[in-house]
Amino acid sequence: MTSETELIPAPRSVVVAAAGEVRLTAHSRLCAGTATEGVGRWLRTVLWQATGLPLREGRERDETDGDGIALRLDPELGPEEYRLVSDRNGVLIEGGSAAGVFWGAQTLRQLLGPDAHRRAPLDRDRTWVVPHLTIEDAPRFRWRGLMLDVARHFMPKEGVLRHLDLMAAHKLNVFHFHLTDDQGWRVEIKRYPRLTEVGSWRARTKSGHRASPLWEEKPHGGFYTQDDIREIVAYAAERHITVVPEIDVPGHSQAAIAAYPELGNTDVITASVKGGTALSVWDNWGISANVLAPTDNTLRFYEGVFEEVLGLFPSEFIHVGGDECLKDQWRQSPTAQARIKELGLADEDELQAWFIGHFDTWLTARGRRLIGWDEILEGGLAKGAAVSSWRGYEGGVAAARAGHDVVMCPEQYVYLDHRQAAGEDEPVPIGYVRTLKDVYRFEPVPPELTPSQAAHVLGTQANVWTEVMEDPARVDYQTYPRLSAFSEVAWSALPAPAERDFADFERRMTAHYRRLDALGVGYRPPTGPLPWQKRPGVLGRPLDGAPPNR
């Protein structure tokens, strides 16, 4: 088997013929059948960029003369399932939907070699070949996600589009867009302009972990206009990726409160902020005590926010955060305590459940579904809500047993801000050591679930939190190659973790590193960080030992 057939994620079945290959030439044509025209445009563009071959449009497969590419639907295949056949008739990619054809086209790109991922041809006289073979493939999970936090460190639009391309190359199909937090508000809301005028930038930034004495003494900020968001969503859709926005409530909201102070617990904040001045966008990391006030004014304000969000994002799910909401201000606030009494609630946990439940009902009435971090289980789970299980497996298990859908993203395995090795050279070490092998042996479905409960596991997601990732190169370093391993966990039907052939995966990664090189990814090399990837003297928060497995 050649390096080009060492595919990631691993397909369900690969049968390589004893001999023969399809040679793409200047005369080759690309024939896109009904409903595959969009995939055809994408494939023609990326292959023309990389190879210089025009791949002129053909109407029928017999026009390819054995050296072309044909795309078409096969209703017998599942929605994201595909079949790729390379033989004397050329290359045929069939899918149960355009998405299936697109994943097959991504496989074809890998078969052509690492240089097929470049944006300009290195050698216009090069011969591009696909060995005669048959690949049959389908994903294990419908939700194969990546969460990118752009609130802590803003990523310009071009960087986001690049990560969508990288996701597509790994057959990931859900982009969880973490747009708001204490340290920044990143999406334009026209009816509330101060959210970006004030909330999108902070005066300075802590360098390293929150215990670090180092600061970058310059403003940091940025936001996406609504047209930027429309472009990102459309770009993702062309790559069969759904964008799920996250607007954090009721915690992680200091940037919004800085912009509109009335959203906060003013009966507590005005007494605690020096001189009674308004809060600013937070310049530190951790969990801010400043949370939204449980008032009708706050509900109406965020309904206005979500109305505009729904107009920008057509996704089934809308993520509302719901995590790490400190209750101290609610305990001290006469207004919050009066609300608890008025609603007949037992405590502050039930108050948060009421807050989340309001938006669950509001979103359901508009044909959408709420999803939130597993803290939304506290005080009672909103009826129609789905859960992102991040604090281990327990939240996901509890939700699935209660009949709620779950996305498994436990921090012990798939928080990619956690350090990749124990060495002192690891830049700004955060959390437990999570190696490439650890990620490869992550199992999204907890074994204690029954088959009917396990059916509520929609899939899995890797999360990239950017508190200590100050630039795009640092995001690349933390994300890759571990996201490559994660993509195989999310896509391929792997055996139990202890039985997975990591040596075979490492062997296939040898070819895949060359693809990442061609794509310009600044990944962590297997031998450790390169000199410019280190951050000597910047304090992290390493945790020793094995992470709790629960």
Side-chain angles (χ1 to χ4, degrees), residues 419-432:
R419 57 190 173 139
Q420 304 184 65
E424 293 182 2
D425 287 340
E426 207 61 31
V428 199
I430 298 296
Y432 295 101

PDB file of all heavy atoms in Angstrom, residues 419-432:
ATOM      1  N   ARG A 419      -1.852  20.176  27.978  1.00  0.00           N
ATOM      2  CA  ARG A 419      -0.494  19.955  27.451  1.00  0.00           C
ATOM      3  C   ARG A 419      -0.367  18.585  26.793  1.00  0.00           C
ATOM      4  O   ARG A 419      -1.080  17.628  27.136  1.00  0.00           O
ATOM      5  CB  ARG A 419       0.528  20.114  28.576  1.00  0.00           C
ATOM      6  CG  ARG A 419       0.310  19.200  29.772  1.00  0.00           C
ATOM      7  CD  ARG A 419       1.197  19.597  30.928  1.00  0.00           C
ATOM      8  NE  ARG A 419       0.857  18.824  32.114  1.00  0.00           N
ATOM      9  CZ  ARG A 419       1.745  18.313  32.951  1.00  0.00           C
ATOM     10  NH1 ARG A 419       3.034  18.457  32.719  1.00  0.00           N
ATOM     11  NH2 ARG A 419       1.359  17.642  34.016  1.00  0.00           N
ATOM     12  N   GLN A 420       0.573  18.500  25.859  1.00  0.00           N
ATOM     13  CA  GLN A 420       0.733  17.294  25.050  1.00  0.00           C
ATOM     14  C   GLN A 420       1.843  16.381  25.549  1.00  0.00           C
ATOM     15  O   GLN A 420       1.980  15.262  25.064  1.00  0.00           O
ATOM     16  CB  GLN A 420       0.994  17.693  23.600  1.00  0.00           C
ATOM     17  CG  GLN A 420      -0.108  18.582  23.044  1.00  0.00           C
ATOM     18  CD  GLN A 420       0.058  18.915  21.591  1.00  0.00           C
ATOM     19  OE1 GLN A 420       0.003  18.041  20.737  1.00  0.00           O
ATOM     20  NE2 GLN A 420       0.270  20.180  21.286  1.00  0.00           N
ATOM     21  N   ALA A 421       2.671  16.849  26.475  1.00  0.00           N
ATOM     22  CA  ALA A 421       3.754  16.049  27.025  1.00  0.00           C
ATOM     23  C   ALA A 421       4.135  16.637  28.379  1.00  0.00           C
ATOM     24  O   ALA A 421       3.718  17.753  28.733  1.00  0.00           O
ATOM     25  CB  ALA A 421       4.965  16.034  26.082  1.00  0.00           C
ATOM     26  N   ALA A 422       4.926  15.895  29.128  1.00  0.00           N
ATOM     27  CA  ALA A 422       5.288  16.321  30.475  1.00  0.00           C
ATOM     28  C   ALA A 422       6.570  17.142  30.516  1.00  0.00           C
ATOM     29  O   ALA A 422       6.927  17.673  31.561  1.00  0.00           O
ATOM     30  CB  ALA A 422       5.428  15.100  31.379  1.00  0.00           C
ATOM     31  N   GLY A 423       7.289  17.244  29.425  1.00  0.00           N
ATOM     32  CA  GLY A 423       8.581  17.918  29.423  1.00  0.00           C
ATOM     33  C   GLY A 423       8.492  19.401  29.737  1.00  0.00           C
ATOM     34  O   GLY A 423       7.462  20.048  29.510  1.00  0.00           O
ATOM     35  N   GLU A 424       9.591  19.947  30.218  1.00  0.00           N
ATOM     36  CA  GLU A 424       9.640  21.371  30.562  1.00  0.00           C
ATOM     37  C   GLU A 424       9.551  22.268  29.335  1.00  0.00           C
ATOM     38  O   GLU A 424       9.245  23.454  29.454  1.00  0.00           O
ATOM     39  CB  GLU A 424      10.927  21.678  31.338  1.00  0.00           C
ATOM     40  CG  GLU A 424      10.972  21.023  32.711  1.00  0.00           C
ATOM     41  CD  GLU A 424      12.231  21.393  33.483  1.00  0.00           C
ATOM     42  OE1 GLU A 424      13.031  22.192  32.946  1.00  0.00           O
ATOM     43  OE2 GLU A 424      12.403  20.902  34.612  1.00  0.00           O
ATOM     44  N   ASP A 425       9.825  21.717  28.164  1.00  0.00           N
ATOM     45  CA  ASP A 425       9.773  22.523  26.942  1.00  0.00           C
ATOM     46  C   ASP A 425       8.348  22.766  26.453  1.00  0.00           C
ATOM     47  O   ASP A 425       8.127  23.578  25.552  1.00  0.00           O
ATOM     48  CB  ASP A 425      10.569  21.846  25.820  1.00  0.00           C
ATOM     49  CG  ASP A 425      12.068  21.950  26.038  1.00  0.00           C
ATOM     50  OD1 ASP A 425      12.487  22.836  26.804  1.00  0.00           O
ATOM     51  OD2 ASP A 425      12.804  21.136  25.452  1.00  0.00           O
ATOM     52  N   GLU A 426       7.374  22.048  27.025  1.00  0.00           N
ATOM     53  CA  GLU A 426       5.996  22.202  26.565  1.00  0.00           C
ATOM     54  C   GLU A 426       5.518  23.625  26.885  1.00  0.00           C
ATOM     55  O   GLU A 426       5.563  24.060  28.041  1.00  0.00           O
ATOM     56  CB  GLU A 426       5.091  21.170  27.236  1.00  0.00           C
ATOM     57  CG  GLU A 426       3.881  20.797  26.430  1.00  0.00           C
ATOM     58  CD  GLU A 426       4.210  20.167  25.095  1.00  0.00           C
ATOM     59  OE1 GLU A 426       5.256  19.494  24.998  1.00  0.00           O
ATOM     60  OE2 GLU A 426       3.434  20.347  24.153  1.00  0.00           O
ATOM     61  N   PRO A 427       5.073  24.384  25.884  1.00  0.00           N
ATOM     62  CA  PRO A 427       4.764  25.800  26.111  1.00  0.00           C
ATOM     63  C   PRO A 427       3.514  26.004  26.957  1.00  0.00           C
ATOM     64  O   PRO A 427       2.466  25.420  26.694  1.00  0.00           O
ATOM     65  CB  PRO A 427       4.575  26.342  24.690  1.00  0.00           C
ATOM     66  CG  PRO A 427       4.192  25.157  23.876  1.00  0.00           C
ATOM     67  CD  PRO A 427       4.893  23.987  24.487  1.00  0.00           C
ATOM     68  N   VAL A 428       3.621  26.825  27.988  1.00  0.00           N
ATOM     69  CA  VAL A 428       2.517  27.191  28.882  1.00  0.00           C
ATOM     70  C   VAL A 428       1.684  25.953  29.224  1.00  0.00           C
ATOM     71  O   VAL A 428       0.536  25.830  28.789  1.00  0.00           O
ATOM     72  CB  VAL A 428       1.620  28.296  28.267  1.00  0.00           C
ATOM     73  CG1 VAL A 428       0.789  28.972  29.348  1.00  0.00           C
ATOM     74  CG2 VAL A 428       2.442  29.327  27.524  1.00  0.00           C
ATOM     75  N   PRO A 429       2.235  25.043  29.997  1.00  0.00           N
ATOM     76  CA  PRO A 429       1.556  23.760  30.225  1.00  0.00           C
ATOM     77  C   PRO A 429       0.278  23.916  31.033  1.00  0.00           C
ATOM     78  O   PRO A 429       0.279  24.447  32.140  1.00  0.00           O
ATOM     79  CB  PRO A 429       2.604  22.949  31.000  1.00  0.00           C
ATOM     80  CG  PRO A 429       3.448  23.972  31.676  1.00  0.00           C
ATOM     81  CD  PRO A 429       3.508  25.138  30.741  1.00  0.00           C
ATOM     82  N   ILE A 430      -0.821  23.472  30.463  1.00  0.00           N
ATOM     83  CA  ILE A 430      -2.134  23.551  31.102  1.00  0.00           C
ATOM     84  C   ILE A 430      -2.661  22.133  31.323  1.00  0.00           C
ATOM     85  O   ILE A 430      -2.595  21.290  30.424  1.00  0.00           O
ATOM     86  CB  ILE A 430      -3.126  24.338  30.231  1.00  0.00           C
ATOM     87  CG1 ILE A 430      -2.650  25.785  30.042  1.00  0.00           C
ATOM     88  CG2 ILE A 430      -4.534  24.303  30.827  1.00  0.00           C
ATOM     89  CD1 ILE A 430      -2.589  26.612  31.295  1.00  0.00           C
ATOM     90  N   GLY A 431      -3.180  21.863  32.501  1.00  0.00           N
ATOM     91  CA  GLY A 431      -3.908  20.627  32.760  1.00  0.00           C
ATOM     92  C   GLY A 431      -3.064  19.377  32.727  1.00  0.00           C
ATOM     93  O   GLY A 431      -1.849  19.389  32.931  1.00  0.00           O
ATOM     94  N   TYR A 432      -3.742  18.278  32.464  1.00  0.00           N
ATOM     95  CA  TYR A 432      -3.104  16.969  32.423  1.00  0.00           C
ATOM     96  C   TYR A 432      -2.407  16.744  31.090  1.00  0.00           C
ATOM     97  O   TYR A 432      -2.717  17.387  30.089  1.00  0.00           O
ATOM     98  CB  TYR A 432      -4.145  15.873  32.640  1.00  0.00           C
ATOM     99  CG  TYR A 432      -4.781  15.903  34.008  1.00  0.00           C
ATOM    100  CD1 TYR A 432      -6.046  16.459  34.192  1.00  0.00           C
ATOM    101  CD2 TYR A 432      -4.121  15.391  35.110  1.00  0.00           C
ATOM    102  CE1 TYR A 432      -6.644  16.493  35.443  1.00  0.00           C
ATOM    103  CE2 TYR A 432      -4.703  15.415  36.372  1.00  0.00           C
ATOM    104  CZ  TYR A 432      -5.964  15.976  36.532  1.00  0.00           C
ATOM    105  OH  TYR A 432      -6.538  16.012  37.777  1.00  0.00           O
TER     106      TYR A 432
END
